[in-house]
Amino acid sequence: NAGVTQTPKFQVLKTGQSMTLQCAQDMNHNSMYWYRQDPGMGLRLIYYSASEGTTDKGEVPNGYNVSRLNKREFSLRLESAAPSQTSVYFCASSDFRGTRQPQHFGDGTRLSIL
Amino acid sequence: AQSVSQHNHHVILSEAASLELGCNYSYGGTVNLFWYVQYPGQHLQLLLKYFSGDPLVKGIKGFEAEFIKSKFSFNLRKPSVQWSDTAEYFCAVTIYGGSQGNLIFGKGTKLSVKP
């Protein structure tokens, strides 16, 4: 009963390095999301994938790219990390975007950019 | 743009005190409303949700929320808090129509309960 699984849980990068955050869900959900959480800012949507094969920008997409690899997996890539991207990143999934189905969240990835 | 406002950034209560956390949203159409809780170091979990019908909804762990359409509000309440309720609470909405459909979160209210 894993739900939404994110890897890694923690990561420290140097400015300019790249990395990919992985997310997988086993609930057969159609929609997947990436958020960042910063103190006093709540959760802000970076990118989402309403269904397999589609991705769209959210509120704060700059500096990120995503790939919806298949129905289960949705990865987030930082091509050239910047200190402003230090944050906790959450992946979530739901049955369908914009419906009454709540989103289910992973445990998060705590990312520090030095 | 649609938004969700949570009026209290940090609330400090003693055990057994009553809790009410405010949430207002800015949208005149149909919305779905959610409260999520995040315990320290953990991911967000759904507390309760409202779609239609009885505007007073009950969630897990003794929480409830009341939807008041005329006030665009969805306040969270608990009659008697416990130390274990220490967490951050997020109000969120989804909106039908157009390109909207994603969760819009408030900035969160941190609740600290003193034993």
Side-chain angles (χ1 to χ4, degrees):
Chain A
N1 193 20
V4 179
T5 303
Q6 291 183 235
T7 55
K9 294 193 184 306
F10 302 93
Q11 185 71 46
V12 178
L13 293 178
K14 294 181 180 178
T15 298
Q17 286 185 313
S18 62
M19 85 159 293
T20 300
L21 308 185
Q22 306 288 353
C23 175
Q25 51 91 10
D26 62 2
M27 296 172 282
N28 202 35
H29 283 166
N30 288 286
S31 300
M32 297 185 73
Y33 311 82
W34 275 106
Y35 295 90
R36 59 178 291 173
Q37 183 181 28
D38 303 292
M41 300 294 290
L43 276 79
R44 292 181 292 170
L45 184 65
I46 304 171
Y47 270 93
Y48 66 95
S49 171
S51 60
E52 187 179 355
T54 69
T55 61
D56 284 287
K57 295 178 180 179
E59 183 185 351
V60 288
N62 291 345
Y64 305 95
N65 285 300
V66 289
S67 295
R68 182 75 183 267
L69 304 169
N70 48 54
K71 192 170 186 179
R72 287 188 65 246
E73 298 172 288
F74 188 39
S75 62
L76 178 72
R77 182 161 179 83
L78 287 71
E79 290 290 350
S80 178
S84 61
Q85 294 177 304
T86 293
S87 188
V88 181
Y89 291 85
F90 286 99
C91 177
S93 70
S94 67
D95 233 349
F96 290 97
R97 170 176 160 268
T99 68
R100 299 175 171 184
Q101 298 304 316
Q103 292 184 17
H104 299 260
F105 287 82
D107 287 339
T109 296
R110 191 172 295 272
L111 184 61
S112 295
I113 316 293
L114 305 177
Chain B
Q2 292 80 12
S3 63
V4 176
S5 299
Q6 292 183 242
H7 314 298
N8 308 103
H9 178 62
H10 191 185
V11 173
I12 303 172
L13 296 173
S14 298
E15 274 193 317
S18 63
L19 170 72
E20 180 159 3
L21 301 182
C23 172
N24 287 87
Y25 62 94
S26 63
Y27 183 71
T30 302
V31 295
N32 300 315
L33 296 152
F34 305 84
W35 275 98
Y36 283 85
V37 61
Q38 185 179 30
Y39 297 104
Q42 296 187 26
H43 62 270
L44 275 77
Q45 304 170 44
L46 183 68
L47 260 185
L48 47 79
K49 58 191 178 186
Y50 172 79
F51 304 140
S52 63
D54 188 344
L56 185 63
V57 293
K58 295 192 184 299
I60 61 172
K61 306 187 180 188
F63 286 91
E64 64 180 29
E66 184 176 14
F67 172 55
I68 303 179
K69 189 173 183 179
S70 61
K71 294 185 178 180
F72 300 92
S73 69
F74 189 54
N75 292 354
L76 180 71
R77 301 196 291 245
K78 186 171 184 179
S80 175
V81 295
Q82 301 172 318
W83 177 78
S84 57
D85 293 325
T86 294
E88 192 158 15
Y89 293 81
F90 293 93
C91 182
V93 303
T94 58
I95 294 168
Y96 287 114
S99 62
Q100 297 295 332
N102 297 315
L103 265 178
I104 302 169
F105 281 92
K107 293 186 177 181
T109 298
K110 196 165 291 190
L111 172 65
S112 299
V113 180
K114 299 185 290 185

Short mmCIF file of all heavy atoms in Angstrom, two decimals, chain B residues 13-77:
data_model
loop_
_atom_site.label_atom_id
_atom_site.label_comp_id
_atom_site.label_asym_id
_atom_site.label_seq_id
_atom_site.Cartn_x
_atom_site.Cartn_y
_atom_site.Cartn_z
N LEU B 13 -2.38 27.30 21.19
CA LEU B 13 -3.47 26.98 22.11
C LEU B 13 -2.99 26.02 23.18
O LEU B 13 -2.01 25.29 22.98
CB LEU B 13 -4.63 26.32 21.35
CG LEU B 13 -5.36 27.15 20.30
CD1 LEU B 13 -6.35 26.27 19.54
CD2 LEU B 13 -6.05 28.32 20.94
N SER B 14 -3.70 26.01 24.28
CA SER B 14 -3.48 25.00 25.31
C SER B 14 -4.38 23.80 25.03
O SER B 14 -5.43 23.95 24.38
CB SER B 14 -3.76 25.56 26.69
OG SER B 14 -2.89 26.63 26.99
N GLU B 15 -3.98 22.64 25.50
CA GLU B 15 -4.81 21.45 25.34
C GLU B 15 -6.20 21.71 25.89
O GLU B 15 -6.35 22.39 26.90
CB GLU B 15 -4.17 20.26 26.04
CG GLU B 15 -3.18 19.52 25.19
CD GLU B 15 -2.79 18.16 25.76
OE1 GLU B 15 -2.57 18.10 26.97
OE2 GLU B 15 -2.72 17.19 24.99
N ALA B 16 -7.19 21.15 25.22
CA ALA B 16 -8.62 21.26 25.56
C ALA B 16 -9.25 22.56 25.09
O ALA B 16 -10.48 22.70 25.20
CB ALA B 16 -8.88 21.06 27.06
N ALA B 17 -8.47 23.49 24.58
CA ALA B 17 -9.06 24.72 24.04
C ALA B 17 -9.77 24.40 22.74
O ALA B 17 -9.49 23.40 22.07
CB ALA B 17 -7.98 25.76 23.82
N SER B 18 -10.69 25.27 22.36
CA SER B 18 -11.39 25.10 21.09
C SER B 18 -10.61 25.79 19.98
O SER B 18 -9.90 26.76 20.20
CB SER B 18 -12.80 25.66 21.17
OG SER B 18 -12.75 27.06 21.39
N LEU B 19 -10.77 25.24 18.78
CA LEU B 19 -10.00 25.72 17.63
C LEU B 19 -10.94 26.16 16.53
O LEU B 19 -11.94 25.49 16.23
CB LEU B 19 -9.12 24.58 17.09
CG LEU B 19 -8.43 24.82 15.74
CD1 LEU B 19 -7.30 25.83 15.90
CD2 LEU B 19 -7.90 23.51 15.17
N GLU B 20 -10.62 27.29 15.91
CA GLU B 20 -11.26 27.66 14.66
C GLU B 20 -10.22 28.33 13.79
O GLU B 20 -9.62 29.33 14.17
CB GLU B 20 -12.46 28.60 14.86
CG GLU B 20 -13.12 28.97 13.53
CD GLU B 20 -14.54 29.45 13.68
OE1 GLU B 20 -15.04 29.56 14.81
OE2 GLU B 20 -15.19 29.71 12.63
N LEU B 21 -9.99 27.76 12.61
CA LEU B 21 -9.05 28.32 11.64
C LEU B 21 -9.84 28.85 10.45
O LEU B 21 -10.67 28.14 9.88
CB LEU B 21 -8.06 27.25 11.18
CG LEU B 21 -7.22 26.59 12.25
CD1 LEU B 21 -6.25 25.59 11.62
CD2 LEU B 21 -6.45 27.62 13.06
N GLY B 22 -9.56 30.08 10.08
CA GLY B 22 -10.31 30.71 9.02
C GLY B 22 -9.75 30.40 7.64
O GLY B 22 -8.55 30.23 7.45
N CYS B 23 -10.66 30.32 6.67
CA CYS B 23 -10.29 30.11 5.27
C CYS B 23 -11.32 30.82 4.41
O CYS B 23 -12.52 30.59 4.56
CB CYS B 23 -10.25 28.63 4.93
SG CYS B 23 -10.03 28.28 3.16
N ASN B 24 -10.85 31.67 3.51
CA ASN B 24 -11.72 32.32 2.54
C ASN B 24 -11.14 32.13 1.14
O ASN B 24 -9.93 32.10 0.97
CB ASN B 24 -11.85 33.82 2.83
CG ASN B 24 -12.70 34.10 4.04
OD1 ASN B 24 -12.20 34.12 5.16
ND2 ASN B 24 -13.98 34.28 3.82
N TYR B 25 -12.03 32.01 0.17
CA TYR B 25 -11.57 31.85 -1.20
C TYR B 25 -12.22 32.93 -2.06
O TYR B 25 -13.27 33.48 -1.71
CB TYR B 25 -11.92 30.46 -1.74
CG TYR B 25 -13.40 30.18 -1.79
CD1 TYR B 25 -14.12 30.42 -2.95
CD2 TYR B 25 -14.07 29.70 -0.66
CE1 TYR B 25 -15.48 30.20 -3.00
CE2 TYR B 25 -15.43 29.47 -0.71
CZ TYR B 25 -16.14 29.72 -1.86
OH TYR B 25 -17.49 29.51 -1.89
N SER B 26 -11.58 33.21 -3.18
CA SER B 26 -12.08 34.27 -4.06
C SER B 26 -12.48 33.66 -5.38
O SER B 26 -11.65 33.53 -6.28
CB SER B 26 -11.02 35.34 -4.28
OG SER B 26 -9.91 34.79 -4.93
N TYR B 27 -13.73 33.24 -5.48
CA TYR B 27 -14.27 32.72 -6.73
C TYR B 27 -15.76 32.61 -6.58
O TYR B 27 -16.25 32.11 -5.57
CB TYR B 27 -13.67 31.36 -7.09
CG TYR B 27 -14.15 30.84 -8.42
CD1 TYR B 27 -13.73 31.42 -9.61
CD2 TYR B 27 -15.03 29.77 -8.49
CE1 TYR B 27 -14.18 30.95 -10.84
CE2 TYR B 27 -15.49 29.30 -9.70
CZ TYR B 27 -15.05 29.89 -10.88
OH TYR B 27 -15.50 29.43 -12.09
N GLY B 28 -16.52 33.10 -7.56
CA GLY B 28 -17.96 33.14 -7.44
C GLY B 28 -18.69 31.91 -7.93
O GLY B 28 -19.89 31.78 -7.72
N GLY B 29 -17.99 30.99 -8.55
CA GLY B 29 -18.63 29.81 -9.10
C GLY B 29 -18.53 28.60 -8.20
O GLY B 29 -18.30 28.70 -7.00
N THR B 30 -18.68 27.44 -8.81
CA THR B 30 -18.69 26.19 -8.05
C THR B 30 -17.28 25.79 -7.65
O THR B 30 -16.36 25.82 -8.46
CB THR B 30 -19.30 25.07 -8.91
OG1 THR B 30 -20.61 25.46 -9.31
CG2 THR B 30 -19.37 23.77 -8.12
N VAL B 31 -17.13 25.45 -6.39
CA VAL B 31 -15.82 25.03 -5.89
C VAL B 31 -15.95 23.73 -5.10
O VAL B 31 -17.03 23.40 -4.61
CB VAL B 31 -15.18 26.10 -4.97
CG1 VAL B 31 -14.85 27.36 -5.74
CG2 VAL B 31 -16.09 26.41 -3.78
N ASN B 32 -14.86 23.02 -5.03
CA ASN B 32 -14.70 21.92 -4.09
C ASN B 32 -13.71 22.39 -3.04
O ASN B 32 -12.72 23.03 -3.39
CB ASN B 32 -14.16 20.67 -4.78
CG ASN B 32 -15.07 20.19 -5.88
OD1 ASN B 32 -16.28 20.13 -5.71
ND2 ASN B 32 -14.50 19.86 -7.02
N LEU B 33 -13.97 22.06 -1.80
CA LEU B 33 -13.15 22.61 -0.71
C LEU B 33 -12.52 21.49 0.09
O LEU B 33 -13.15 20.47 0.35
CB LEU B 33 -14.03 23.47 0.20
CG LEU B 33 -14.60 24.71 -0.50
CD1 LEU B 33 -15.92 25.12 0.12
CD2 LEU B 33 -13.61 25.84 -0.42
N PHE B 34 -11.29 21.72 0.50
CA PHE B 34 -10.53 20.70 1.22
C PHE B 34 -9.76 21.35 2.37
O PHE B 34 -9.34 22.50 2.29
CB PHE B 34 -9.50 20.05 0.29
CG PHE B 34 -10.06 19.46 -0.96
CD1 PHE B 34 -10.29 20.25 -2.08
CD2 PHE B 34 -10.34 18.10 -1.05
CE1 PHE B 34 -10.79 19.71 -3.25
CE2 PHE B 34 -10.84 17.55 -2.23
CZ PHE B 34 -11.07 18.35 -3.32
N TRP B 35 -9.57 20.58 3.41
CA TRP B 35 -8.58 20.89 4.43
C TRP B 35 -7.59 19.73 4.50
O TRP B 35 -7.99 18.56 4.62
CB TRP B 35 -9.22 21.09 5.81
CG TRP B 35 -9.73 22.47 6.06
CD1 TRP B 35 -11.01 22.92 5.93
CD2 TRP B 35 -8.96 23.60 6.49
NE1 TRP B 35 -11.10 24.26 6.25
CE2 TRP B 35 -9.86 24.70 6.61
CE3 TRP B 35 -7.62 23.81 6.82
CZ2 TRP B 35 -9.44 25.97 7.02
CZ3 TRP B 35 -7.22 25.06 7.23
CH2 TRP B 35 -8.13 26.12 7.32
N TYR B 36 -6.31 20.10 4.42
CA TYR B 36 -5.24 19.12 4.57
C TYR B 36 -4.46 19.45 5.84
O TYR B 36 -4.36 20.62 6.25
CB TYR B 36 -4.27 19.18 3.39
CG TYR B 36 -4.77 18.54 2.12
CD1 TYR B 36 -5.58 19.24 1.23
CD2 TYR B 36 -4.43 17.22 1.81
CE1 TYR B 36 -6.02 18.64 0.06
CE2 TYR B 36 -4.87 16.62 0.64
CZ TYR B 36 -5.67 17.34 -0.23
OH TYR B 36 -6.11 16.75 -1.39
N VAL B 37 -3.85 18.43 6.43
CA VAL B 37 -3.00 18.61 7.60
C VAL B 37 -1.62 18.04 7.30
O VAL B 37 -1.49 17.03 6.61
CB VAL B 37 -3.62 17.94 8.86
CG1 VAL B 37 -3.78 16.43 8.66
CG2 VAL B 37 -2.76 18.20 10.09
N GLN B 38 -0.60 18.72 7.79
CA GLN B 38 0.77 18.24 7.64
C GLN B 38 1.41 18.19 9.02
O GLN B 38 1.73 19.24 9.60
CB GLN B 38 1.56 19.16 6.71
CG GLN B 38 2.95 18.65 6.41
CD GLN B 38 3.71 19.57 5.46
OE1 GLN B 38 3.50 20.78 5.44
NE2 GLN B 38 4.60 19.00 4.67
N TYR B 39 1.59 16.99 9.55
CA TYR B 39 2.28 16.83 10.83
C TYR B 39 3.77 17.02 10.60
O TYR B 39 4.27 16.82 9.50
CB TYR B 39 1.97 15.47 11.43
CG TYR B 39 0.50 15.30 11.74
CD1 TYR B 39 -0.33 14.53 10.93
CD2 TYR B 39 -0.06 15.95 12.84
CE1 TYR B 39 -1.68 14.41 11.19
CE2 TYR B 39 -1.42 15.83 13.10
CZ TYR B 39 -2.22 15.07 12.27
OH TYR B 39 -3.57 14.97 12.53
N PRO B 40 4.49 17.43 11.64
CA PRO B 40 5.91 17.74 11.47
C PRO B 40 6.68 16.64 10.75
O PRO B 40 6.65 15.48 11.15
CB PRO B 40 6.38 17.93 12.91
CG PRO B 40 5.17 18.40 13.65
CD PRO B 40 4.02 17.66 13.02
N GLY B 41 7.35 17.02 9.68
CA GLY B 41 8.18 16.09 8.93
C GLY B 41 7.43 15.12 8.05
O GLY B 41 8.02 14.19 7.51
N GLN B 42 6.13 15.30 7.92
CA GLN B 42 5.34 14.34 7.13
C GLN B 42 4.71 15.01 5.91
O GLN B 42 4.82 16.21 5.70
CB GLN B 42 4.25 13.73 8.02
CG GLN B 42 4.78 12.90 9.17
CD GLN B 42 3.68 12.18 9.90
OE1 GLN B 42 2.62 11.88 9.34
NE2 GLN B 42 3.92 11.86 11.17
N HIS B 43 4.05 14.18 5.09
CA HIS B 43 3.38 14.72 3.91
C HIS B 43 1.97 15.19 4.27
O HIS B 43 1.50 14.96 5.39
CB HIS B 43 3.31 13.64 2.83
CG HIS B 43 2.54 12.42 3.24
ND1 HIS B 43 3.10 11.33 3.86
CD2 HIS B 43 1.21 12.13 3.13
CE1 HIS B 43 2.19 10.42 4.10
NE2 HIS B 43 1.03 10.89 3.68
N LEU B 44 1.34 15.85 3.34
CA LEU B 44 -0.02 16.33 3.56
C LEU B 44 -1.01 15.17 3.55
O LEU B 44 -0.91 14.26 2.72
CB LEU B 44 -0.42 17.33 2.47
CG LEU B 44 -0.01 18.77 2.70
CD1 LEU B 44 1.47 18.94 2.41
CD2 LEU B 44 -0.83 19.70 1.82
N GLN B 45 -1.97 15.25 4.47
CA GLN B 45 -3.02 14.25 4.53
C GLN B 45 -4.36 14.97 4.50
O GLN B 45 -4.50 16.04 5.09
CB GLN B 45 -2.92 13.44 5.83
CG GLN B 45 -1.60 12.76 6.06
CD GLN B 45 -1.50 12.19 7.45
OE1 GLN B 45 -2.44 11.58 7.95
NE2 GLN B 45 -0.36 12.39 8.10
N LEU B 46 -5.34 14.36 3.87
CA LEU B 46 -6.67 14.94 3.80
C LEU B 46 -7.38 14.85 5.14
O LEU B 46 -7.48 13.77 5.72
CB LEU B 46 -7.48 14.23 2.73
CG LEU B 46 -8.88 14.78 2.48
CD1 LEU B 46 -8.80 16.17 1.85
CD2 LEU B 46 -9.68 13.83 1.58
N LEU B 47 -7.88 15.98 5.63
CA LEU B 47 -8.67 16.02 6.86
C LEU B 47 -10.14 15.87 6.55
O LEU B 47 -10.86 15.11 7.19
CB LEU B 47 -8.46 17.36 7.58
CG LEU B 47 -7.52 17.47 8.75
CD1 LEU B 47 -7.60 18.88 9.34
CD2 LEU B 47 -7.81 16.43 9.81
N LEU B 48 -10.60 16.67 5.60
CA LEU B 48 -12.01 16.62 5.21
C LEU B 48 -12.19 17.35 3.90
O LEU B 48 -11.27 18.05 3.44
CB LEU B 48 -12.92 17.22 6.30
CG LEU B 48 -12.53 18.57 6.91
CD1 LEU B 48 -12.90 19.72 6.00
CD2 LEU B 48 -13.24 18.75 8.27
N LYS B 49 -13.37 17.17 3.32
CA LYS B 49 -13.67 17.79 2.03
C LYS B 49 -15.15 18.14 1.94
O LYS B 49 -15.98 17.49 2.61
CB LYS B 49 -13.27 16.85 0.89
CG LYS B 49 -13.98 15.50 0.96
CD LYS B 49 -13.39 14.51 -0.01
CE LYS B 49 -14.09 13.15 0.13
NZ LYS B 49 -13.46 12.09 -0.68
N TYR B 50 -15.46 19.11 1.14
CA TYR B 50 -16.85 19.50 0.90
C TYR B 50 -17.07 19.67 -0.59
O TYR B 50 -16.31 20.37 -1.27
CB TYR B 50 -17.20 20.81 1.62
CG TYR B 50 -18.57 21.30 1.24
CD1 TYR B 50 -19.71 20.73 1.81
CD2 TYR B 50 -18.74 22.28 0.27
CE1 TYR B 50 -20.97 21.14 1.44
CE2 TYR B 50 -20.00 22.71 -0.11
CZ TYR B 50 -21.11 22.13 0.48
OH TYR B 50 -22.37 22.53 0.10
N PHE B 51 -18.15 19.04 -1.08
CA PHE B 51 -18.51 19.20 -2.48
C PHE B 51 -19.90 19.82 -2.61
O PHE B 51 -20.09 20.74 -3.39
CB PHE B 51 -18.50 17.86 -3.21
CG PHE B 51 -17.18 17.15 -3.10
CD1 PHE B 51 -17.12 15.79 -2.91
CD2 PHE B 51 -15.99 17.85 -3.20
CE1 PHE B 51 -15.90 15.13 -2.82
CE2 PHE B 51 -14.76 17.21 -3.10
CZ PHE B 51 -14.73 15.85 -2.91
N SER B 52 -20.86 19.30 -1.88
CA SER B 52 -22.23 19.78 -1.96
C SER B 52 -23.01 19.21 -0.79
O SER B 52 -22.50 18.38 -0.03
CB SER B 52 -22.88 19.37 -3.28
OG SER B 52 -22.95 17.96 -3.37
N GLY B 53 -24.24 19.66 -0.63
CA GLY B 53 -25.10 19.11 0.42
C GLY B 53 -24.92 19.83 1.74
O GLY B 53 -24.70 21.05 1.78
N ASP B 54 -25.00 19.09 2.82
CA ASP B 54 -24.90 19.66 4.16
C ASP B 54 -23.61 20.47 4.27
O ASP B 54 -22.52 19.94 4.09
CB ASP B 54 -24.90 18.53 5.19
CG ASP B 54 -24.99 19.04 6.63
OD1 ASP B 54 -24.75 20.24 6.87
OD2 ASP B 54 -25.29 18.22 7.51
N PRO B 55 -23.72 21.77 4.59
CA PRO B 55 -22.52 22.61 4.63
C PRO B 55 -21.62 22.33 5.84
O PRO B 55 -20.51 22.86 5.90
CB PRO B 55 -23.09 24.03 4.70
CG PRO B 55 -24.44 23.86 5.30
CD PRO B 55 -24.95 22.54 4.81
N LEU B 56 -22.09 21.54 6.76
CA LEU B 56 -21.25 21.18 7.90
C LEU B 56 -20.71 19.77 7.65
O LEU B 56 -21.47 18.81 7.59
CB LEU B 56 -22.06 21.22 9.20
CG LEU B 56 -21.28 20.98 10.48
CD1 LEU B 56 -20.23 22.08 10.69
CD2 LEU B 56 -22.23 20.93 11.68
N VAL B 57 -19.41 19.68 7.46
CA VAL B 57 -18.81 18.39 7.14
C VAL B 57 -17.90 17.96 8.28
O VAL B 57 -17.21 18.77 8.89
CB VAL B 57 -18.02 18.43 5.82
CG1 VAL B 57 -18.94 18.64 4.66
CG2 VAL B 57 -16.96 19.51 5.85
N LYS B 58 -17.90 16.66 8.50
CA LYS B 58 -17.06 16.11 9.56
C LYS B 58 -15.92 15.33 8.92
O LYS B 58 -16.09 14.65 7.92
CB LYS B 58 -17.89 15.21 10.47
CG LYS B 58 -18.97 15.97 11.22
CD LYS B 58 -19.59 15.15 12.32
CE LYS B 58 -20.73 15.89 12.99
NZ LYS B 58 -20.27 17.16 13.61
N GLY B 59 -14.74 15.50 9.53
CA GLY B 59 -13.58 14.79 9.02
C GLY B 59 -13.00 13.86 10.06
O GLY B 59 -13.66 13.49 11.01
N ILE B 60 -11.73 13.53 9.84
CA ILE B 60 -11.07 12.62 10.76
C ILE B 60 -10.63 13.35 12.02
O ILE B 60 -10.54 14.59 12.03
CB ILE B 60 -9.86 11.94 10.09
CG1 ILE B 60 -8.83 13.00 9.64
CG2 ILE B 60 -10.32 11.10 8.91
CD1 ILE B 60 -7.53 12.41 9.15
N LYS B 61 -10.38 12.60 13.08
CA LYS B 61 -9.79 13.10 14.31
C LYS B 61 -10.62 14.20 14.98
O LYS B 61 -10.05 15.05 15.66
CB LYS B 61 -8.35 13.57 14.07
CG LYS B 61 -7.49 12.50 13.43
CD LYS B 61 -6.04 12.89 13.34
CE LYS B 61 -5.26 11.75 12.68
NZ LYS B 61 -3.81 11.94 12.71
N GLY B 62 -11.93 14.19 14.77
CA GLY B 62 -12.81 15.12 15.46
C GLY B 62 -12.90 16.50 14.84
O GLY B 62 -13.51 17.41 15.41
N PHE B 63 -12.30 16.70 13.68
CA PHE B 63 -12.38 17.98 12.99
C PHE B 63 -13.67 18.11 12.20
O PHE B 63 -14.22 17.11 11.73
CB PHE B 63 -11.18 18.16 12.05
CG PHE B 63 -9.90 18.44 12.74
CD1 PHE B 63 -9.05 17.41 13.12
CD2 PHE B 63 -9.52 19.76 13.02
CE1 PHE B 63 -7.86 17.67 13.78
CE2 PHE B 63 -8.33 20.02 13.68
CZ PHE B 63 -7.49 18.98 14.06
N GLU B 64 -14.13 19.33 12.06
CA GLU B 64 -15.27 19.61 11.21
C GLU B 64 -15.05 20.97 10.55
O GLU B 64 -14.20 21.76 11.00
CB GLU B 64 -16.58 19.62 12.01
CG GLU B 64 -16.67 20.70 13.06
CD GLU B 64 -17.99 20.67 13.81
OE1 GLU B 64 -18.58 19.58 13.95
OE2 GLU B 64 -18.41 21.74 14.26
N ALA B 65 -15.79 21.22 9.49
CA ALA B 65 -15.68 22.50 8.80
C ALA B 65 -17.06 22.90 8.31
O ALA B 65 -17.89 22.05 7.99
CB ALA B 65 -14.70 22.42 7.65
N GLU B 66 -17.28 24.20 8.24
CA GLU B 66 -18.56 24.72 7.79
C GLU B 66 -18.36 25.59 6.56
O GLU B 66 -17.56 26.53 6.58
CB GLU B 66 -19.24 25.53 8.89
CG GLU B 66 -20.64 26.01 8.48
CD GLU B 66 -21.36 26.73 9.59
OE1 GLU B 66 -20.72 27.11 10.59
OE2 GLU B 66 -22.58 26.93 9.44
N PHE B 67 -19.10 25.27 5.52
CA PHE B 67 -19.08 26.04 4.29
C PHE B 67 -20.18 27.11 4.37
O PHE B 67 -21.35 26.78 4.56
CB PHE B 67 -19.33 25.12 3.10
CG PHE B 67 -19.53 25.83 1.79
CD1 PHE B 67 -18.58 26.71 1.31
CD2 PHE B 67 -20.66 25.59 1.02
CE1 PHE B 67 -18.75 27.35 0.09
CE2 PHE B 67 -20.85 26.22 -0.20
CZ PHE B 67 -19.90 27.10 -0.65
N ILE B 68 -19.79 28.37 4.27
CA ILE B 68 -20.76 29.46 4.23
C ILE B 68 -20.58 30.14 2.88
O ILE B 68 -19.65 30.94 2.68
CB ILE B 68 -20.57 30.45 5.39
CG1 ILE B 68 -20.67 29.70 6.72
CG2 ILE B 68 -21.63 31.54 5.32
CD1 ILE B 68 -20.47 30.58 7.95
N LYS B 69 -21.49 29.84 1.97
CA LYS B 69 -21.34 30.31 0.59
C LYS B 69 -21.36 31.83 0.50
O LYS B 69 -20.59 32.42 -0.26
CB LYS B 69 -22.45 29.71 -0.28
CG LYS B 69 -22.27 29.96 -1.76
CD LYS B 69 -23.31 29.22 -2.57
CE LYS B 69 -23.07 29.42 -4.07
NZ LYS B 69 -24.06 28.70 -4.90
N SER B 70 -22.21 32.46 1.28
CA SER B 70 -22.35 33.92 1.22
C SER B 70 -21.09 34.64 1.69
O SER B 70 -20.86 35.79 1.32
CB SER B 70 -23.54 34.38 2.06
OG SER B 70 -23.35 34.02 3.41
N LYS B 71 -20.30 33.96 2.48
CA LYS B 71 -19.06 34.55 2.99
C LYS B 71 -17.82 33.98 2.29
O LYS B 71 -16.70 34.34 2.65
CB LYS B 71 -18.94 34.30 4.49
CG LYS B 71 -20.01 35.01 5.32
CD LYS B 71 -19.77 34.82 6.81
CE LYS B 71 -20.80 35.57 7.63
NZ LYS B 71 -20.57 35.40 9.09
N PHE B 72 -18.01 33.10 1.35
CA PHE B 72 -16.89 32.44 0.65
C PHE B 72 -15.92 31.85 1.67
O PHE B 72 -14.70 31.98 1.53
CB PHE B 72 -16.16 33.43 -0.27
CG PHE B 72 -17.05 34.03 -1.32
CD1 PHE B 72 -17.72 35.22 -1.09
CD2 PHE B 72 -17.23 33.39 -2.54
CE1 PHE B 72 -18.57 35.77 -2.05
CE2 PHE B 72 -18.07 33.93 -3.51
CZ PHE B 72 -18.74 35.13 -3.26
N SER B 73 -16.47 31.23 2.69
CA SER B 73 -15.61 30.74 3.76
C SER B 73 -15.78 29.25 3.98
O SER B 73 -16.83 28.67 3.69
CB SER B 73 -15.89 31.49 5.06
OG SER B 73 -17.17 31.14 5.58
N PHE B 74 -14.74 28.65 4.53
CA PHE B 74 -14.74 27.23 4.85
C PHE B 74 -13.85 27.06 6.07
O PHE B 74 -12.72 26.59 5.97
CB PHE B 74 -14.24 26.42 3.65
CG PHE B 74 -14.40 24.93 3.78
CD1 PHE B 74 -15.63 24.36 4.08
CD2 PHE B 74 -13.31 24.08 3.59
CE1 PHE B 74 -15.78 22.99 4.18
CE2 PHE B 74 -13.45 22.70 3.69
CZ PHE B 74 -14.68 22.16 3.98
N ASN B 75 -14.35 27.42 7.23
CA ASN B 75 -13.55 27.43 8.45
C ASN B 75 -13.49 26.06 9.09
O ASN B 75 -14.46 25.32 9.14
CB ASN B 75 -14.13 28.44 9.44
CG ASN B 75 -13.95 29.87 8.97
OD1 ASN B 75 -13.30 30.14 7.95
ND2 ASN B 75 -14.54 30.80 9.70
N LEU B 76 -12.34 25.76 9.63
CA LEU B 76 -12.07 24.47 10.27
C LEU B 76 -12.24 24.62 11.78
O LEU B 76 -11.76 25.61 12.36
CB LEU B 76 -10.65 24.01 9.96
CG LEU B 76 -10.21 22.68 10.54
CD1 LEU B 76 -10.92 21.53 9.83
CD2 LEU B 76 -8.69 22.51 10.41
N ARG B 77 -12.88 23.64 12.40
CA ARG B 77 -13.12 23.73 13.85
C ARG B 77 -12.83 22.39 14.52
O ARG B 77 -12.92 21.32 13.91
CB ARG B 77 -14.57 24.13 14.13
CG ARG B 77 -14.97 25.45 13.54
CD ARG B 77 -16.24 25.96 14.17
NE ARG B 77 -17.40 25.14 13.80
CZ ARG B 77 -18.41 25.59 13.09
NH1 ARG B 77 -18.40 26.83 12.63
NH2 ARG B 77 -19.43 24.82 12.81
#
